[in-house]
Amino acid sequence: MFEKWFKLKQHNTTVKNEIIAGITTFMAMAYILAVNPDILSAAGMDKTAVLLATCLASFIGTVCMALFANLPFALSAGMGLNAFFAFTVAPKYGW
């Protein structure tokens, strides 16, 4: 099933390699799940809500990239834009 959908042989890879790559990518990006709620809570947002939203958005974006574009890219929140919002925009408007 994986071969047919993702064309693993054509991309010269195996299911095992892809699983290892997925775990490695998750470990490299897991800091976002810890840092994003801390940054946005400085703007008055609920940490739990931000954590859940970050998890769901990352999951949906990554699954869409895999299934629709057939590309091995993980998607998640952009930390620079979040920091800009929390420390520049939100204080200006009194949040």
Side-chain angles (χ1 to χ4, degrees):
M1 178 176 104
F2 290 116
E3 171 56 40
K4 182 180 178 185
W5 186 272
F6 294 111
K7 301 177 181 95
L8 297 177
K9 286 183 182 160
Q10 180 181 342
H11 293 111
N12 197 25
T13 188
T14 65
V15 173
K16 178 183 172 186
N17 285 348
E18 293 302 311
I19 290 172
I20 292 170
I23 292 169
T24 304
T25 302
F26 173 79
M27 297 304 275
M29 294 178 59
Y31 77 94
I32 293 171
L33 299 176
V35 175
N36 194 37
D38 283 339
I39 289 175
L40 291 178
S41 69
M45 295 182 178
D46 181 63
K47 275 188 180 185
T48 306
V50 173
L51 175 63
L52 181 61
T54 302
C55 290
L56 288 174
S58 299
F59 175 78
I60 291 169
T62 302
V63 167
C64 286
M65 185 63 76
L67 297 179
F68 298 125
N70 195 18
L71 293 171
F73 299 145
L75 303 175
S76 193
M79 303 310 297
L81 200 54
N82 291 343
F84 173 73
F85 173 78
F87 302 122
T88 304
V89 175
K92 181 175 178 167
Y93 291 100
W95 293 330

